[in-house]
Amino acid sequence: MVKIGIRPTIDGREKGIRESLEEQTMRMAKSAAKLISENVYDEEGNPVGCVIADTTIGGFAEAAKCQEKFDREGVCATLTVTPCWCYGSETMDMDPKTPKAIWGLNATERPGAVYLAAVLAAHAQKGIPAFSIYGHDVQDADDDAITDDVAEKILRFARAAVAVGEMKGKSYLSVGNVAMGIAGSMVNPDFFEEYLGMRCEYKDMSEIIRRVENEIYDKEEFERALVWTRENCKENDDLYNGENGHSREKKDAEWEYCVKMAMIVRDMMQGNEKLKEIGWNEEGNGNNAIAAGFQGQRQWTDFMPNGDFMESMLCSSFDWNGIRKPLVVATENDCLNGVAMLLGHLVTNTAAVFSDVRTYWSPEAVKRVTGKELTGYAQNGIIHLINSGAAALDASGEQEKDGKPAMKPFWEITEGEAQKCLDATKWTPGNLGYFRGGGFSSTFKTRGGMPVTMCRMNLVKGLGPVLQIAEGYTVELPDDMNKILWDRTDPGWPCTWFAPVLTGEGAFTDVYSVMANWGANHGASVYGHVGADLITLASMLRIPVNMHNVSEEKLFRPAAWNAFGTQDRESADYRACRNYGPLYK
C-alpha cells in the first residue's frame, strides 16, 4: 500500500516558543492526513494511508528520525506542514527521489509563510524541487479548518504523488514486439526506468500459444468464464465478410481461444496462485506488471484470433469474476499510449480507453456528408476516436453519476451498471482483411455529455518524453447522422465522438488545430477533466507538457519552476524538466 508521510515542522526554540506550538502543529498534520485519507484512493480502492512523524521536527536529529520511520513505512511522498517559522535547511526533507510539498499556514500570529518561502529557497538551491501550498486568505492561528484552495492543492499533490508511488518498482509487460512499424511500440527501457521507476519485461507472443497448448491456466475459471461470455457478450452480425466469413464451428473455437487469451495475459501481468497449485510456479509468479501491451498485428493476427476481446475485457472494470480493478493493456503494444492510459488511470482510478485519434470532422464536412449541422459541444467540429474494438466497455457511458453518463472507480460501479455496459456492446466478427485469424471486436457507441481528458506520451529524439493533454466532452450524434459517419470509418469498432474544449489560442485555436498538433495516431481517454492532475504528475516525473487546455490558475508545479520563467509557463516547464532531469536517473 502506498503511503504519504506528514512532517510537522516547528520552531526549535524551547522554554516557551516550541511548547506553545506543539499542539497546533500536530493538529495541522492530523488534519492534512485526515483530508488525504478521506479523499484519495490507491489503485486497489484502499484509502491512502498517511504516516505522521512521531514528534514535531525542530532540527536535524528529529528530521533524521522522521526519515528513518518513513523509510520503514515505505512512504512514497511527503507533505511538510507548519504554522510557524522553522529552521529551513535543518528541518527540510532531503530525499531527492520522493515528491514533496510544504504547507505553510497563512496566519499573521506566526510566520508560517516566512518559513515556507525560506525552505522553498533552500529546496531550489539544493536542487530538490518542492510544491508550495499557501492559502489565499489570512486565517486565525487557532483556525484548524483547511481552506478550499489549500485542500485542492494538497489533494492534487497527493493524487499525483500516489501515482508516482504506485508505478515505482512495477513493470511494463511487452507481449510481442513492434506492431506494423508503430514507433510507440518500440519499448524503450531507459524511459521507463529513468522517468517512471519501472522496468520492462519482454515476452514473445508464442508464450500465449505455449500456455494454451500446455493448459497453463485455471481450467475451472475458464469453464465459468466461457459460460459467462456466451451469456453476456452478444455476437454481432458479420458486417465484413459475408459468405467468406468463418464457419460457426470456427467462430466458437475462436471465442474459446479469446477467453483463454484474456486469462493468460492477465496471469502474465499479475500472476495467479492457481497456476502454482497445478505445478506451474514460475508462471504463477507473473511479471509484477502495472501495465502491458500486446503486439497482435500482424505476426499474430494473420493466423490467430485478434486481441480485441482480451484487451477490451482486461481494460474494463468487470468480467466473469465480477466488478474489479481495470487493467491497462495497450493495443498494438503502443507502450507510450499505454503509459498515457496508466497515468490517467492512476489519477482517476477509472478505466482508461485506448483509441485511434482517427478523423477530424469539420462542421462543413459533416453537413456535406449528412445534410445536418453539428450542435452543442460538437458545434465547432469533432474528432472520431475509434480503433479495432479493443476499448474498455466502461467507455460506453452506461455507468452514471447524478443521472449523467460516467466512468466510475470500480468500487462505485453497481452490478446493474456493469450489465448495462455489457448489454450496450456487441462483438463483431473480425474483418478477415485485417484479421485473417478472426476474433471479435467490441462494438458500442459512447454516450454523450461525459467530461473526459485525452492524453498522449511521445518520445522526441534529443528532447525525451513529452505529454499532451486535451480536456473535452463526448458527443452523441443523432442516430442517422451517427450511422453515416461511423460507417465511413468502421462500423464494427467502438465509436466515440470527442469535442475538445477550445481556448482560441495555439493548439486549441479550433478543433482542427487539436487534431493537427496531436503527436501520434493513438490517444488515451479517462473520465473527468483531470488535466491539472496530469500536469502536476508530469512535473513530478520531470516530463514537460507541450499541449494542454487547462486554465492557468489550475497549474500546480514545484515552486522552483517559477525560477525558469513566469510569463511563458510552457517554456519554463521545458527548461525546468531539462535542468532537473528524470526523477530516477
Side-chain angles (χ1 to χ4, degrees), residues 38-94:
E38 290 180 351
N39 291 279
V40 183
Y41 298 85
D42 67 16
E43 194 192 14
E44 303 294 337
N46 302 309
V48 168
C50 290
V51 180
I52 301 176
D54 292 332
T55 67
T56 55
I57 300 167
F60 281 130
E62 289 157 331
K65 289 179 181 178
C66 172
Q67 187 62 49
E68 290 172 4
K69 180 178 183 179
F70 288 179
D71 288 343
R72 290 194 306 271
E73 294 282 350
V75 162
C76 71
T78 64
L79 171 64
T80 297
V81 304
T82 189
C84 60
W85 168 256
C86 315
Y87 309 146
S89 62
E90 296 180 22
T91 59
M92 65 186 285
D93 175 4
M94 293 283 287

Side-chain angles (χ1 to χ4, degrees), residues 100 203 381 581:
K100 49 197 92 279
K203 304 295 180 184

Side-chain angles (χ1 to χ4, degrees), residues 67-340:
Q67 187 62 49
E68 290 172 4
K69 180 178 183 179
F70 288 179
D71 288 343
R72 290 194 306 271
E73 294 282 350
V75 162
C76 71
T78 64
L79 171 64
T80 297
V81 304
T82 189
C84 60
W85 168 256
C86 315
Y87 309 146
S89 62
E90 296 180 22
T91 59
M92 65 186 285
D93 175 4
M94 293 283 287
D95 184 350
K97 298 299 184 185
T98 55
K100 49 197 92 279
I102 302 148
W103 171 28
L105 184 67
N106 182 5
T108 55
E109 289 87 346
R110 293 285 183 179
V114 178
Y115 168 70
L116 177 63
V119 78
L120 288 172
H123 276 278
Q125 193 165 324
K126 294 175 182 295
I128 306 174
F131 290 80
S132 172
I133 300 175
Y134 179 59
H136 185 272
D137 297 318
V138 171
Q139 294 178 252
D140 296 332
D142 59 355
D143 183 357
D144 289 338
I146 300 178
T147 59
D148 289 345
D149 59 330
V150 168
E152 182 180 7
K153 289 183 176 179
I154 290 175
L155 294 178
R156 180 155 293 141
F157 169 80
R159 286 190 294 268
V162 166
V164 172
E166 291 196 292
M167 288 187 288
K168 186 177 181 181
K170 299 291 180 57
S171 71
Y172 177 86
L173 175 63
S174 174
V175 183
N177 203 317
V178 180
M180 302 183 296
I182 295 173
S185 58
M186 299 173 184
V187 182
N188 184 323
D190 292 342
F191 163 63
F192 280 91
E193 292 165 12
E194 295 178 3
Y195 284 91
L196 308 180
M198 294 170 59
R199 64 189 297 165
C200 294
E201 297 290 339
Y202 307 88
K203 304 295 180 184
D204 192 89
M205 290 183 291
S206 63
E207 174 66 4
I208 295 173
I209 298 174
R210 183 182 77 89
R211 293 196 186 203
V212 170
E213 292 186 354
N214 289 280
E215 299 184 332
I216 309 174
Y217 54 87
D218 183 344
K219 294 181 183 177
E220 183 277 329
E221 182 189 4
F222 167 68
E223 295 300 332
R224 174 164 42 84
L226 187 61
V227 170
W228 180 92
T229 299
R230 287 169 174 162
E231 291 176 351
N232 293 282
C233 299
K234 306 303 182 185
E235 188 175 314
N236 199 12
D237 296 335
D238 193 333
L239 304 178
Y240 302 109
N241 307 304
E243 296 180 355
N244 296 320
H246 288 168
S247 67
R248 181 72 261 161
E249 181 181 14
K250 185 164 180 56
K251 288 178 181 176
D252 289 343
E254 289 166 17
W255 271 117
E256 294 185 13
Y257 209 97
C258 288
V259 172
K260 291 176 183 176
M261 284 176 66
M263 292 173 52
I264 287 168
V265 171
R266 178 205 62 196
D267 292 349
M268 291 172 67
M269 292 178 69
Q270 299 183 326
N272 189 337
E273 290 299 315
K274 289 286 186 179
L275 302 186
K276 296 181 180 181
E277 294 175 10
I278 59 175
W280 299 97
N281 190 73
E282 180 183 3
E283 291 82 356
N285 286 330
N287 290 279
N288 196 35
I290 195 171
F294 177 67
Q295 175 193 333
Q297 298 189 68
R298 285 184 48 207
Q299 285 73 18
W300 180 271
T301 55
D302 274 5
F303 79 113
M304 299 293 289
N306 64 28
D308 287 4
F309 177 82
M310 173 263 292
E311 293 160 1
S312 286
M313 292 312 306
L314 293 185
C315 289
S316 299
S317 301
F318 43 84
D319 61 14
W320 45 88
N321 290 319
I323 296 169
R324 46 100 178 125
K325 175 186 73 175
L327 300 183
V328 171
V329 183
T331 301
E332 295 161 344
N333 198 26
D334 184 346
C335 68
L336 296 179
N337 209 51
V339 168

